[in-house]
Amino acid sequence: MRLSLFRRALVPAVAATLLLAPSPALAAPPPPFRDPSLPLAARIDDLLSRLTADEKVSLLHQYQPAIPRLGIGVFKTGTEALHGVAWSTDYDNKGAVVKADGTVFPQAIGLATTWDPALVKQVGAAVGQEARGFNARNPTLWGLNLWAPVVNLLRDPRWGRNEEGYSEDPYLTGELAVAYGRGMQGDDPRYLQAAPTLKHFLAYNNEVNRDTTSSSVPPKILHDYDEQAFKIPLQAGAANAVMPSYNLVNGRPSHVSPDLDDALRKWAPQDIAVVSDAGAPSNLVNSEKYYPTKAEGNAAAIKAGLDSFTDNDTDGSITTNAVKEALSKGLLTMADVENADRHLLSLRFRLGEFDPPGRNPYAKITPAVINSPAHQALARKTAVEQMVLLRNNGNALPLDAARNKKIAVVGPLSNTLYEDWYAGAMQYKVTPVQGIKERLGSAGTVASSEGVDRIALKDLSTGRYLTAPATTGKVIAGGTAAGTAESFDVYDWGAGKNTLRAAANGKFLSYSGGALVNDVDQPAGWFVQQQLKLDAQPDGSYVLEYAGNEANEPWFGPNKFAVVGADGTLTFSAPDAAHATKFGRDVLTSGVGSAVAAAKDADTAVVVVGSMPFINGREANDRTSTELAPAQRALIEAVQKANPHTVVVVENSYPTTGWDTLSVPGILWTSHAGQETGHAVADVLFGDKDPGGRLTQTWYASDAGLPSILDYDISKTGLTYQYYRGKPLFPFGYGLSYTGFRYDNVRTSQAGGKVRVSVDVTNTGARAGSDVVQLYSKNSGVQKLRDFSKVTLAPKQTRTVRFEVPVADLASWDVSRERSVVAAGVYEFSVGRNATELSAPQRVYVPGERALPRDLTRPTQAQNFDDYSGATLTDTSKVSGTSVAGVAGSWVAYRNVALTGPARFSASVSATASAQITVRLDSPTGRVLGTVPVASTGDRYAYTTVTAALAKVTGRHDVYLTFDGPVNLATFSLR
């Protein structure tokens, strides 16, 4: 009885307790988007279904805000990681740039000159690991969508961003991008270590007016050249995002190119995101004036395939308000917004953000990997492998430490390492002087000099010298004598650009609110406010001119020349030299004299020259010349005269001309190779390592033969090894070794849809060395790199190197078929050490599609011409299509046309003034078949159809369309 009563009392009490106290067994399951067992698409759908309309729109900005109710944190696209984690922008501090303190590897151009994808993948893996380490340190600041690699082809050596790219060749660029991208991604089949972003789509190779110039690229060059560098890594799955370029391509801004949602996503086997470049969405309205409002511009970009807007720094409201306006006006639908969100969320899911702890192996990476000893060793190895021996007359190199115990290391880059715009902050720096000292040890001595003048500037009207404070502060004209405070080291970087370092505290002078202050360790910043000119005047005096990047902006104003006030204060307050203060330039120590003194008694002199990465070409600034700075040339000549056993180390980021008129016997090139540069220089100079680097772009003999940097049709300009017919200073693929190599017995065969080529490579010297064996094909006069293999051989060792080229890879764009075609015919295959030193060509017949006569009876896109003169390409509409933009005297040609007595010419045209198109045979001045007048259509996008009768002709002919005025021609036919 009592037991029964007890049980009846206990049951409701326990039930009440269970209802009041939560139990793990009864906790709500996580939402489906957090369930890693579900398909990715289902998880994305579930997450989108839980978002409000405002939340969906908010994800379109670079800084995707947190959604606390769903436990979702901030996500940011874009951490710069070109050759190491470089910098990011701080969401919590109004987008302030924060530099990384990780490993600084050689610049991208240096990574490329290794010609070693396996090594580049190792570097990419280290960068991906460090990105995870930084993310673990501060996930809001250090995002895992990495903005690298840059795969724009190095078509023109004057491009300011040459340091960021890999090569002028699309195949080499693509293979290196695959390696770097896969390294960053990691090898896990499910999760991404980091998500690389290819930059910048497409045909982007000029900084001058980069947001308003249009790259006119004919279809064959577009498809066979520019696109390939993106297509290769995308098809390999080695990139997770793409960034469009600032420029326009064939008249249309890249940020609204239909290829963003079409070609790019078709090439990739997995979903990719498309992220804008900084400020580019606003350019659509502001500088480009392509759309009248932000709502229209943003809507067009989203519809074209853009997913993330890097605009207005951390202020996402401008973007989201414009998108909401576009939605309200029917320019966009919420489905368009959700489509963009899906691409971005796909990236976040694959980074493991929404998975339970312990599932993602990369989430275990800690900040301990940052600049780890293993990564430092990899930085040194990579810096060694990227060095290119350009000249070695009389075996000037390598140096024998036993016989070269007294070394002079001189030059403006001898005892410093510079960072570039896309480099992190080096935590230690091994300079060439330090590396060589360490290599010699106590058995040798190193004398050094930077080879720059130390000067004092005296106000000739008062006799007072410019004086810098011992700490930091304003420079004034106050000194009565030239002491340490009045002493400045002058670095001449060419093109009249100088930087002045104050002897008082070792810091460079900077423009600050119209004054000069001595406050920075190296020239840097977006505007590089350390650039000054010392302008010589006819009377022998000098004036000081400010030459920072912003000095040529219209908002800067006219006052760029220094004036010393009555109180000694210096300000840049004069509009010209006539109103500026005149200075005397007193040379306290001659840079050349100091270098010569160090070099004359040395066993060997090493002159280290090159570029300052923030001054001699970088983002926003193209180079105006490829010549070595005159002051550096003079230094080399003087040192060599004092010591014939002089070698040069060139540390820069691009081809430099003038070496053919310098007789220095040894020249070694390196990029700005990061923290281990000095060790690597010493390793190669003393022969501890063989110089295995090879050039990845053509070094032309001079500026004289270079076309406009804005001309993108390399088939017309003759740029790159594919089309260049002159004699280069150093050819593509060039580089010497400390040993010799012989190539024998080149064999070819064809089977199974592949062309097989093999060659026997022998090290003919007495020491081990590396060479890059390069395979080229030639068809229709165009030479192309098809494969390469970096081999290391012991003395007298022979190895057979084998290549396989899929026949499908021999395809090229056929304008008449509007697709890539493997043309039937004979292809020549050659093997060699660079693009000009090649074996005798091996002729291989390749079956494929035969050329057919063109059929112009059907509507033909005018852009698919075979030749042209004076015409450019432009956008048919703001959404899609490309037209020929003809002008007076221009023409386009269509070869090998089968004419069967056409009676009428029909064309879709637009014009803003009256003009005329003439149909001719076989030349621009050939027989006239007909002429069609074109009246103004009132708007360049308003197309109409015009027709004209034609004289009847049969047979095979070339058809020319000539223009006597401005006409946009979209399509035409001859019927």
Side-chain angles (χ1 to χ4, degrees):
M1 182 72 177
R2 287 181 180 177
L3 182 61
S4 175
L5 290 173
F6 175 77
R7 285 174 176 168
R8 279 185 285 177
L10 179 63
V11 169
V14 170
T17 301
L18 292 173
L19 288 172
L20 292 172
S23 167
L26 298 179
F33 78 85
R34 293 196 178 274
D35 183 354
S37 68
L38 294 176
L40 178 58
R43 297 177 72 186
I44 293 174
D45 286 343
D46 176 70
L47 178 51
L48 279 173
S49 72
R50 298 170 187 274
L51 300 179
T52 66
D54 282 351
E55 288 168 342
K56 292 174 183 177
V57 171
S58 74
L59 298 182
L60 297 175
H61 192 257
Q62 177 191 20
Y63 293 95
Q64 298 184 345
I67 305 174
R69 66 184 184 84
L70 295 176
I72 296 174
V74 172
F75 182 85
K76 170 180 144 334
T77 62
T79 294
E80 300 293 352
L82 192 60
H83 54 111
V85 179
W87 52 266
S88 188
T89 47
D90 190 354
Y91 180 74
D92 295 324
N93 190 23
K94 298 182 180 179
V97 171
V98 179
K99 293 201 76 170
D101 56 356
T103 310
V104 178
F105 293 94
Q107 292 176 306
I109 184 66
L111 296 179
T113 57
T114 69
W115 287 68
D116 190 341
L119 178 60
V120 172
K121 184 181 179 183
Q122 290 179 46
V123 174
V127 174
Q129 290 164 18
E130 295 200 7
R132 279 283 176 177
F134 281 108
N135 183 257
R137 182 189 289 177
N138 186 337
T140 302
L141 172 60
W142 301 104
L144 293 171
N145 169 226
L146 306 184
W147 283 359
V150 170
V151 295
N152 297 107
L153 297 168
L154 304 183
R155 168 192 62 90
D156 193 304
R158 296 164 297 183
W159 186 34
R161 303 182 77 163
N162 200 88
E163 66 189 24
E164 299 180 38
Y166 288 143
S167 172
E168 68 184 36
D169 180 75
Y171 175 74
L172 178 58
T173 295
E175 290 300 302
L176 295 170
V178 169
Y180 195 67
R182 282 181 174 164
M184 288 192 289
Q185 288 174 328
D187 296 322
D188 190 87
R190 179 187 182 103
Y191 293 100
L192 294 171
Q193 179 172 249
T197 300
L198 302 180
K199 303 193 317 185
H200 314 78
F201 188 80
L202 184 70
Y204 167 42
N205 260 150
N206 63 277
E207 297 304 293
V208 57
N209 299 326
R210 63 181 181 172
D211 57 332
T212 55
T213 55
S214 177
S215 304
S216 185
V217 192
K220 188 169 182 59
I221 301 301
L222 189 74
H223 294 296
D224 287 349
Y225 186 70
D226 289 285
E227 286 184 352
Q228 291 302 312
F230 292 85
K231 188 175 183 178
I232 291 169
L234 284 173
Q235 286 183 328
N240 304 101
V242 176
M243 178 187 288
S245 53
Y246 280 119
N247 57 299
L248 297 83
V249 177
N250 295 339
R252 183 179 295 107
S254 294
H255 279 71
V256 290
S257 168
D259 286 336
L260 302 183
D261 206 35
D262 186 16
L264 293 179
R265 292 193 162 109
K266 285 179 179 177
W267 293 337
Q270 78 289 326
D271 194 17
I272 61 169
V274 179
V275 301
S276 88
D277 208 337
S282 288
N283 291 345
L284 292 169
V285 176
N286 298 335
S287 60
E288 293 165 351
K289 303 187 186 307
Y290 204 70
Y291 296 99
T293 67
K294 285 278 288 182
E296 290 169 277
N298 284 12
I302 291 169
K303 282 185 169 292
L306 189 70
D307 306 314
S308 177
F309 288 72
T310 311
D311 214 4
N312 308 110
D313 297 320
T314 58
D315 185 1
S317 66
I318 299 173
T319 292
T320 56
N321 288 339
V323 171
K324 290 175 184 178
E325 181 183 346
L327 287 166
S328 70
K329 292 182 175 179
L331 302 174
L332 279 177
T333 67
M334 189 54 68
D336 295 321
V337 174
E338 291 176 349
N339 185 53
D341 286 346
R342 277 190 171 86
H343 300 308
L344 294 164
L345 290 172
S346 173
L347 189 152
R348 294 178 69 171
F349 272 100
R350 283 176 288 158
L351 287 167
E353 180 180 347
F354 304 117
D355 284 9
R359 296 296 294 265
N360 178 4
Y362 301 119
K364 301 174 184 177
I365 296 175
T366 72
V369 301
I370 297 172
N371 203 23
S372 66
H375 292 175
Q376 293 172 11
L378 181 61
R380 179 170 181 169
K381 174 180 173 61
T382 309
V384 167
E385 293 296 324
Q386 55 92 52
M387 291 197 177
V388 182
L389 184 60
L390 297 176
R391 182 185 295 169
N392 196 20
N393 295 344
N395 294 320
L397 293 170
L399 303 178
D400 184 343
R403 292 188 298 171
N404 290 270
K405 294 184 177 181
K406 188 175 182 181
I407 306 290
V409 187
V410 302
L413 283 88
S414 62
N415 203 25
T416 188
L417 298 183
Y418 287 121
E419 295 162 1
D420 60 50
W421 180 250
Y422 286 103
M426 286 182 269
Q427 297 307 291
Y428 67 89
K429 300 178 179 181
V430 183
T431 69
V433 166
Q434 293 167 336
I436 291 171
K437 280 184 176 180
E438 182 180 321
R439 175 60 178 81
L440 287 177
S442 59
T445 60
V446 174
S448 64
S449 165
E450 290 183 294
V452 299
D453 288 346
R454 175 163 287 189
I455 67 168
L457 293 173
K458 180 169 64 177
D459 181 347
L460 295 178
S461 64
T462 66
R464 298 277 180 170
Y465 288 92
L466 289 189
T467 305
T471 53
T472 59
K474 290 184 178 180
V475 174
I476 62 170
T480 57
T484 300
E486 290 74 31
S487 300
F488 302 93
D489 298 324
V490 182
Y491 294 80
D492 184 346
W493 300 110
K497 299 292 183 71
N498 300 290
T499 54
L500 273 65
R501 186 180 63 190
N505 65 352
K507 295 186 181 295
F508 285 89
L509 302 188
S510 302
Y511 177 90
S512 178
L516 276 180
V517 295
N518 58 331
D519 65 345
V520 299
D521 293 326
Q522 76 156 64
W526 184 251
F527 290 125
V528 197
Q529 295 182 313
Q530 295 74 43
Q531 297 179 90
L532 301 166
K533 290 184 177 181
L534 285 167
D535 299 331
Q537 302 302 298
D539 61 0
S541 67
Y542 290 82
V543 296
L544 192 60
E545 179 185 357
Y546 177 58
N549 303 61
E550 81 274 35
N552 293 322
E553 298 289 344
W555 49 263
F556 185 82
N559 295 329
K560 303 173 188 177
F561 292 83
V563 174
V564 175
D567 61 354
T569 301
L570 181 147
T571 59
F572 288 90
S573 52
D576 51 40
H579 296 85
T581 295
K582 291 186 175 183
F583 294 97
R585 184 182 187 274
D586 297 347
V587 178
L588 307 178
T589 304
S590 164
V592 169
S594 174
V596 165
K600 65 181 180 180
D601 295 325
D603 297 321
T604 294
V606 179
V607 186
V608 189
V609 296
S611 68
M612 200 288 132
F614 276 87
I615 294 175
N616 294 120
R618 48 149 278 197
E619 183 174 357
N621 293 101
D622 294 317
R623 290 195 293 160
T624 56
S625 173
T626 59
E627 289 286 339
L628 182 69
Q632 295 186 11
R633 181 185 179 92
L635 177 67
I636 294 170
E637 291 174 331
V639 171
Q640 186 186 7
K641 184 177 180 180
N643 187 333
H645 199 237
T646 293
V647 297
V648 173
V649 175
V650 188
E651 186 179 347
N652 65 18
S653 318
Y654 38 68
T656 311
T657 55
W659 301 107
D660 53 336
T661 56
L662 283 168
S663 61
V664 62
I667 305 172
L668 180 69
W669 177 91
T670 175
S671 72
H672 292 279
Q675 60 201 43
E676 288 286 345
T677 299
H679 279 147
V681 166
D683 287 343
V684 175
L685 285 180
F686 286 94
D688 300 326
K689 302 291 183 181
D690 191 57
R694 301 293 182 263
L695 299 179
T696 62
Q697 58 189 137
T698 304
W699 285 36
Y700 302 101
S702 71
D703 294 333
L706 297 180
S708 166
I709 197 172
L710 302 179
D711 193 336
Y712 278 74
D713 186 354
I714 58 175
S715 68
K716 288 284 192 181
T717 64
L719 286 186
T720 82
Y721 78 91
Q722 292 190 5
Y723 292 95
Y724 188 59
R725 296 299 173 259
K727 183 179 180 181
L729 180 63
F730 299 114
F732 173 83
Y734 175 84
L736 303 175
S737 170
Y738 288 150
T739 187
F741 296 92
R742 187 180 69 244
Y743 288 39
D744 300 307
N745 196 21
V746 179
R747 292 92 73 192
T748 60
S749 63
Q750 185 181 173
K754 295 180 179 179
V755 176
R756 293 178 172 84
V757 182
S758 61
V759 60
D760 298 334
V761 182
T762 301
N763 178 351
T764 60
R767 57 182 296 150
S770 299
D771 204 14
V772 178
V773 187
Q774 301 163 39
L775 173 67
Y776 294 87
S777 73
K778 182 176 283 190
N779 178 257
S780 301
V782 180
Q783 183 179 359
K784 292 186 179 182
L785 178 72
R786 291 300 179 183
D787 206 348
F788 60 92
S789 178
K790 191 167 190 177
V791 296
T792 300
L793 301 177
K796 310 305 180 183
Q797 180 184 3
T798 297
R799 181 181 302 168
T800 299
V801 178
R802 294 179 172 85
F803 300 107
E804 287 187 349
V805 180
V807 169
D809 288 357
L810 300 176
S812 61
W813 192 259
D814 186 318
V815 290
S816 64
R817 292 178 170 95
E818 297 185 20
R819 59 181 173 84
S820 284
V821 170
V822 177
V826 173
Y827 291 72
E828 295 180 346
F829 289 87
S830 300
V831 180
R833 305 192 63 206
N834 56 65
T836 62
E837 295 180 62
L838 296 171
S839 66
Q842 303 292 303
R843 296 166 61 85
V844 178
Y845 177 79
V846 174
E849 298 187 48
R850 296 196 172 277
L852 299 173
R854 292 195 74 144
D855 177 10
L856 298 184
T857 62
R858 58 183 177 83
T860 298
Q861 290 191 59
Q863 67 163 324
N864 288 322
F865 46 70
D866 293 291
D867 198 3
Y868 68 102
S869 176
T872 56
L873 294 171
T874 190
D875 51 333
T876 306
S877 75
K878 291 187 177 182
V879 176
S880 64
T882 300
S883 297
V884 168
V887 295
S890 64
W891 53 261
V892 289
Y894 306 85
R895 306 288 190 205
N896 191 29
V897 179
L899 296 176
T900 57
R904 185 161 295 275
F905 171 78
S906 178
S908 176
V909 299
S910 74
T912 55
S914 297
Q916 180 174 279
I917 300 174
T918 301
V919 183
R920 295 178 179 269
L921 282 189
D922 300 324
S923 84
T925 57
R927 177 185 171 188
V928 174
L929 294 187
T931 299
V932 58
V934 178
S936 172
T937 62
D939 186 276
R940 57 174 293 200
Y941 296 117
Y943 279 77
T944 189
T945 300
V946 295
T947 61
L950 297 177
K952 292 187 177 182
V953 176
T954 59
R956 301 280 186 91
H957 291 274
D958 296 339
V959 172
Y960 284 75
L961 305 181
T962 64
F963 303 84
D964 76 347
V967 177
N968 294 330
L969 174 63
T971 61
F972 72 96
S973 63
L974 278 63
R975 297 173 183 249

